Amino acid sequence: MGTTVVQLTPQKLEEAKKYYAPYITPRKIPYASFFAKKDHLTITAYNSGKIMFQGDNEDQEAALWQIKESNKPKKAGSLPENFAQKSIIGSDEVGNGSYFGPLVVCAAYASKNQLPTLKKLGVKDSKMLNDKQILDLAPKIKELVFYQELVVMPQKYNQIQPDYNAVHMKVALHNQCLHLLLEKISPQQPEAILIDQFVQESTYRKYLKKEKNSVTQNLYFITKGEQYHLAVAAASIICRAEFLQKLQQLSLEIGFDLPSGAGTQSDKQAAKIIKQGGVDLLSHYAKLHFKNTEKAKKIADK
């Protein structure tokens, strides 16, 4: 069993806490921000910003958070000049941190001629929009731009997950969306492709080597990509709307509301499903590898 320690900035520590939320378990450790168990790994994050990985292939997990000088997330100045005014494909995903509901990935192509119309529609960072605004905007965006969307429902997600960790799965889906969208818009070519960054570029490209039809050229990675180009904002809104609709469908199917996120309410609702039909039934609604599953089992057994 190996040990790797990485120093994170306060912002990165907060990102790590959100990323590992499904795996966090209660444990009192002095000066610790959180403690998580993922597969055969333990992750201990300290308030100082240090995060310790222990277990099998701990170096690979740590690599998700190690930032080498050449691989630091690009700043606005690292993007081509006048990037926000160019014809760009933007790519984003929704649902990765939610126990219930699908994982949705979308790529959208916004040509420079479409940017004024997108702006007039009110397209912006989806986090600045409420659910009603998102559901109203998504169909209007779909009528305007070329896009490619992939939806992995929980049952399929659970079949794939043992062979694809969360990062690898997202890389595969982003790449497939980009490949299919490039085929749709051909012979048009975007001036660049901007992926809302969820992992270091080196890690993305490492997993990309395992994929067919890999899109490798003219890729840019930046966190909060919606702020740098409306194509990413459009993709994010389409993703979010699809996630909300699918979560609502699953709620209607099971007969009660399924929350987004991975909090205690998710544990309680999952326990109700387990009582109805066991973990087999739960696999149709939830991502089983989340820690919520074990918590729900305990609640159901009471």
Side-chain angles (χ1 to χ4, degrees):
M1 182 177 77
T3 300
T4 300
V5 178
V6 178
Q7 181 70 47
L8 302 183
T9 63
Q11 181 183 358
K12 278 292 178 184
L13 183 63
E14 192 59 32
E15 288 182 24
K17 190 171 184 178
K18 290 179 181 178
Y19 179 81
Y20 291 114
Y23 311 101
I24 290 176
T25 59
R27 179 177 289 191
K28 292 184 179 180
I29 300 174
Y31 311 109
S33 172
F34 67 86
F35 176 80
K37 289 184 178 181
K38 179 186 176 189
D39 300 328
H40 300 293
L41 283 171
T42 62
I43 302 106
T44 310
Y46 294 92
N47 296 327
S48 65
K50 287 185 178 179
I51 182 167
M52 180 170 64
F53 301 87
Q54 293 178 295
D56 297 340
N57 300 314
E58 94 293 339
D59 54 336
Q60 293 182 23
E61 190 73 19
L64 302 180
W65 303 98
Q66 288 171 324
I67 303 176
K68 298 178 181 177
E69 192 64 31
S70 60
N71 287 324
K72 285 184 179 179
K74 294 180 176 65
K75 297 178 181 178
S78 303
L79 297 174
E81 189 176 356
N82 298 319
F83 190 84
Q85 282 74 52
K86 294 182 181 293
S87 298
I88 301 296
I89 286 179
S91 185
D92 201 1
E93 85 282 332
V94 170
N96 181 63
S98 181
Y99 181 55
F100 290 113
L103 172 61
V104 186
V105 179
C106 180
Y109 174 58
S111 71
K112 61 182 69 176
N113 296 329
Q114 294 168 325
L115 296 178
T117 306
L118 287 171
K119 190 172 183 179
K120 188 176 180 180
L121 280 175
V123 174
K124 56 185 174 182
D125 185 345
S126 64
K127 297 177 186 66
M128 299 171 65
L129 301 168
N130 60 41
D131 289 352
K132 183 181 185 306
Q133 289 172 317
I134 285 171
L135 291 168
D136 287 343
L137 267 175
K140 297 174 184 176
I141 295 170
K142 287 181 175 182
E143 289 180 1
L144 182 64
V145 304
F146 284 100
Y147 69 95
Q148 178 63 51
E149 187 177 33
L150 293 175
V151 181
V152 183
M153 295 300 287
Q155 189 174 21
K156 183 66 174 178
Y157 182 99
N158 293 322
Q159 292 172 1
I160 298 170
Q161 190 273 327
D163 298 319
Y164 280 71
N165 65 37
V167 174
H168 189 181
M169 192 183 301
K170 286 196 288 185
V171 171
L173 292 169
H174 275 272
N175 180 70
Q176 184 68 353
C177 274
L178 294 172
H179 169 68
L180 294 173
L181 182 55
L182 285 168
E183 286 188 336
K184 279 185 181 180
I185 69 172
S186 182
Q188 295 182 82
Q189 288 293 321
E191 295 177 77
I193 296 170
L194 181 60
I195 297 173
D196 192 49
Q197 188 168 22
F198 56 88
V199 71
Q200 297 305 315
E201 180 176 347
S202 57
T203 303
Y204 182 97
R205 291 187 181 276
K206 179 189 75 174
Y207 284 124
L208 195 58
K209 291 177 182 178
K210 303 177 182 181
E211 299 304 310
K212 295 179 180 178
N213 304 313
S214 56
V215 178
T216 60
Q217 299 300 311
N218 220 8
L219 296 179
Y220 291 85
F221 302 81
I222 194 164
T223 56
K224 300 180 180 178
E226 303 100 319
Q227 298 178 10
Y228 297 95
H229 202 281
L230 289 178
V232 180
S236 180
I237 290 168
I238 292 172
C239 277
R240 181 67 182 167
E242 186 66 30
F243 173 81
L244 291 171
Q245 289 168 341
K246 288 293 190 287
L247 189 63
Q248 179 63 18
Q249 288 176 15
L250 291 173
S251 296
L252 291 172
E253 184 181 305
I254 195 63
F256 49 82
D257 287 342
L258 300 176
S260 61
T264 55
Q265 189 60 26
S266 296
D267 302 340
K268 294 174 183 177
Q269 300 300 68
K272 288 171 67 174
I273 297 174
I274 290 173
K275 286 180 178 179
Q276 282 188 28
V279 175
D280 284 345
L281 180 61
L282 182 62
S283 69
H284 290 262
Y285 301 93
K287 304 174 182 76
L288 295 182
H289 68 96
F290 279 40
K291 281 292 180 183
N292 301 78
T293 302
E294 294 306 314
K295 294 176 184 177
K297 286 179 182 177
K298 291 178 182 177
I299 294 171
D301 287 340
K302 289 181 180 178

